[in-house]
Amino acid sequence: MRTIVSYIITFLFFSTCFADGDLIKIDSLNKLVGLQSGRERIETLISLSEAYRKVSFEKSLRTGTDAEQFASDEGFNALKGKILLSMGESASLSGDYALALDYYNKSLNAYKETDGFAELAETYNKMGLVYKNLAEYDKAIEYLMIATDLEKEHNLVSQLAGSIANIATIYFAKGDFNKAMDGYHQAQIVYKDLNDTLRYAKMTMNIGLVYWQWDENQLALDMLLEAKTIFKQKDDFVELGRVYNNIGMLYYQDVKDTVKALEYFENSLAIRELLGNQLGMAVVLANIGNVYRDRNQLFEAFEKYDKALRISEAIGYKEGEVRTNYYIGIAYKKSKKFIESNRYLEKCLLMATKYGIKNYFDIVNEAKLKNFAALGDYNGFMEEFRIYASTKDTLAVELNEMRTREAEARYKVNEFIPEMDRLEAENKHQLELIHLYRYSFISMIVIVITIMLILVFRKSKNVPVN
């Protein structure tokens, strides 16, 4: 009951904050745009289009189209890239990835004509994230690498850190946690140097998730809670929705506290519904389904799974489809419907194999192994057992501990790199001084010897010959 009350209070609080604030902002912008002309009018139309995202996707795109048309009519072609980039972001947030890519491609063409390198890199970055959500990981990395090349060439330090972090997120999704940790930590160091508190907190959260995968649960929880505090201070509701979901996952899977987990999940869902974040809603609905599944409230569990799966399929969120099919398979296993369980587990495995999401391979294999045992299906059991025997790593725990120690050591070295560079520069300077003193000393000796030889020579000339 306390959880439900907390959810309702949180939902109402955020609803009031968002609704009132958004409507006031939209009303103000509508009044302002009628009084403006030229560049100012276009900038206001872009802001109005972005404000409409939380109210009406249709109005958001219509306003963006108005901005693009006005820019064309008035000859402000340099602003077209910005308008199209904003419209692409609106489409991406709504889950319409095909439309998002269309706008982003148009934005690329517009920016190429104006040499807007920072904006060009940003567009490549956003396209990479869309392909990541479509589970087209190679293509995602391809676009993100183009962004990093531009950012390196034009010394766009903060944007480069963002691209590195996005590539790390792809490695995380694929289950390559070492590469994910490398990228997150590189970005975290940059954001710390730039005093960018919010992005630093995002990297802290992401690093916490890697530690969680390595079973360093307390360290992971500490990092997530640290990030949550910063997000609340900065009123970053997008990231707050993410961190609530992640903390809920940790409480659910490792602390085994379903009450606390459900509280965090429902807070996350309330925020994501208000933001219209379809992808985020799909993620957290599936997680809420797991809580109900473990409480044997299977009707409620399947209801949440069905919503999560329908959203993921509608927006083309492949990771969400893989994840939810796995959860449904486990729910059917729990309800002893083993054949139905295997059907969903096989769907999960086929998609995971197709898109290279390898962290599902072992857990699907183990679940199917148990299903075949329960069914008394000897042939099915032996087939899964052969897979199990060939892939099971008996040193998994030791490997995770080794990875954790390796990562910590590597990052401590990274933290000392600036100091090492300073000491190296000092040593180089000292070495140059030593060489200078040495050459000076040798020169003085040569001069002294020369003077002495001259004196001796002169003295010898003054000695009378007997």
Side-chain angles (χ1 to χ4, degrees):
M1 178 61 71
R2 185 185 300 173
T3 302
I4 296 172
V5 171
S6 172
Y7 168 70
I8 292 171
I9 291 171
T10 304
F11 187 87
L12 290 174
F13 169 76
F14 284 120
S15 296
T16 304
C17 291
F18 277 111
D20 290 349
D22 291 336
L23 291 175
I24 291 169
K25 183 177 181 181
I26 288 169
D27 186 53
S28 298
L29 290 170
N30 270 314
K31 289 177 181 176
L32 186 60
V33 79
L35 303 172
Q36 292 177 319
S37 61
R39 186 185 186 94
E40 283 186 343
R41 180 183 174 86
I42 296 169
E43 295 284 1
T44 302
L45 282 169
I46 293 171
S47 297
L48 183 58
S49 172
E50 292 173 354
Y52 271 130
R53 286 172 183 167
K54 300 168 188 175
V55 178
S56 168
F57 174 58
E58 184 182 345
K59 286 183 178 180
S60 174
L61 289 188
R62 192 189 311 146
T63 308
T65 303
D66 290 344
E68 184 187 7
Q69 185 61 53
F70 184 79
S72 296
D73 293 344
E74 298 295 318
F76 287 95
N77 294 324
L79 286 174
K80 276 192 173 182
K82 184 175 182 179
I83 298 165
L84 292 162
L85 180 62
S86 177
M87 293 172 74
E89 180 72 3
S90 298
S92 180
L93 288 171
S94 75
D96 193 336
Y97 296 132
L99 184 60
L101 288 171
D102 183 51
Y103 281 126
Y104 287 147
N105 272 310
K106 291 177 180 176
S107 176
L108 281 180
N109 293 331
Y111 280 133
K112 284 175 182 176
E113 292 179 5
T114 62
D115 290 336
F117 298 114
E119 295 81 6
L120 203 56
E122 183 184 1
T123 309
Y124 279 118
N125 221 311
K126 291 185 182 298
M127 292 180 78
L129 290 178
V130 169
Y131 282 117
K132 181 259 180 190
N133 291 335
L134 292 170
E136 295 186 39
Y137 296 126
D138 291 340
K139 205 158 191 175
I141 291 175
E142 177 188 336
Y143 276 89
L144 288 165
M145 290 304 294
I146 295 172
T148 60
D149 289 343
L150 280 167
E151 288 150 358
K152 288 175 183 176
E153 183 181 352
H154 299 283
N155 198 31
L156 305 169
V157 178
S158 181
Q159 281 186 239
L160 177 59
S163 297
I164 290 170
N166 288 336
I167 292 170
T169 299
I170 293 171
Y171 285 125
F172 185 92
K174 295 179 73 173
D176 193 337
F177 302 122
N178 264 337
K179 287 184 178 178
M181 179 65 97
D182 285 342
Y184 289 146
H185 195 80
Q186 285 180 50
Q188 186 190 45
I189 291 172
V190 172
Y191 292 139
K192 186 177 181 180
D193 290 342
L194 294 174
N195 201 28
D196 190 334
T197 308
L198 193 55
R199 289 189 173 91
Y200 175 84
K202 291 178 187 178
M203 293 308 104
T204 300
M205 175 175 66
N206 291 337
I207 289 171
L209 293 176
V210 176
Y211 278 124
W212 178 42
Q213 293 296 324
W214 289 344
D215 294 327
E216 295 289 337
N217 298 328
Q218 188 56 53
L219 182 57
L221 182 59
D222 290 343
M223 288 186 159
L224 292 175
L225 291 172
E226 179 189 348
K228 180 186 73 120
T229 301
I230 296 171
F231 295 147
K232 289 183 77 172
Q233 290 171 349
K234 299 288 185 180
D235 289 334
D236 188 329
F237 294 107
V238 173
E239 293 303 325
L240 199 57
R242 281 187 66 209
V243 79
Y244 276 142
N245 178 69
N246 291 331
I247 295 172
M249 286 288 291
L250 203 150
Y251 274 112
Y252 167 70
Q253 289 193 4
D254 295 289
V255 182
K256 309 298 182 187
D257 185 341
T258 58
V259 174
K260 199 84 171 174
L262 190 58
E263 179 183 337
Y264 276 104
F265 287 149
E266 287 177 335
N267 286 339
S268 175
L269 182 61
I271 294 171
R272 288 173 167 187
E273 284 179 338
L274 289 163
L275 293 175
N277 182 348
Q278 298 293 310
L279 187 150
M281 287 163 59
V283 170
V284 77
L285 279 166
N287 292 337
I288 293 172
N290 287 342
V291 174
Y292 285 127
R293 180 194 70 202
D294 287 2
R295 292 179 174 182
N296 287 316
Q297 296 173 258
L298 294 176
F299 177 81
E300 290 84 353
F302 283 113
E303 184 181 44
K304 300 297 183 186
Y305 290 145
D306 183 59
K307 287 182 180 178
L309 191 57
R310 280 191 285 112
I311 292 172
S312 294
E313 288 172 345
I315 67 176
Y317 178 39
K318 303 305 180 185
E319 287 178 45
E321 290 183 58
V322 172
R323 186 187 304 115
T324 309
N325 277 312
Y326 172 73
Y327 291 162
I328 293 172
I330 297 301
Y332 275 120
K333 176 175 172 289
K334 186 177 181 67
S335 58
K336 301 188 185 304
K337 296 180 179 178
F338 303 113
I339 294 175
E340 195 69 3
S341 172
N342 277 346
R343 187 167 76 86
Y344 278 94
L345 291 170
E346 190 61 32
K347 285 174 68 177
C348 166
L349 186 60
L350 287 171
M351 290 191 73
T353 303
K354 179 178 179 180
Y355 295 110
I357 310 175
K358 62 185 180 182
N359 45 323
Y360 284 92
F361 296 172
D362 288 347
I363 56 178
V364 167
N365 170 241
E366 289 182 29
K368 288 179 70 180
L369 194 66
K370 292 174 183 177
N371 283 345
F372 283 123
L375 288 167
D377 186 335
Y378 176 78
N379 291 332
F381 178 87
M382 289 308 299
E383 183 180 345
E384 291 299 324
F385 184 78
R386 280 192 290 272
I387 298 170
Y388 178 87
S390 65
T391 61
K392 192 66 178 172
D393 185 358
T394 56
L395 299 175
V397 174
E398 291 82 357
L399 178 60
N400 283 338
E401 290 175 352
M402 181 184 71
R403 284 173 172 169
T404 302
R405 289 194 298 271
E406 177 194 354
E408 288 175 346
R410 189 186 308 133
Y411 301 136
K412 284 183 178 178
V413 167
N414 284 340
E415 288 175 3
F416 286 116
I417 284 175
E419 181 64 17
M420 291 166 65
D421 289 341
R422 186 184 66 78
L423 291 172
E424 184 181 356
E426 286 186 5
N427 287 340
K428 186 177 179 181
H429 180 64
Q430 293 291 338
L431 190 61
E432 288 173 351
L433 288 176
I434 289 170
H435 287 317
L436 179 62
Y437 294 148
R438 184 180 297 164
Y439 296 146
S440 300
F441 180 71
I442 292 170
S443 299
M444 287 178 63
I445 291 175
V446 170
I447 291 169
V448 169
I449 292 172
T450 303
I451 292 171
M452 290 178 66
L453 287 173
I454 291 170
L455 291 172
V456 170
F457 179 74
R458 286 180 177 175
K459 189 174 181 181
S460 64
K461 284 182 67 175
N462 292 331
V463 175
V465 178
N466 292 323

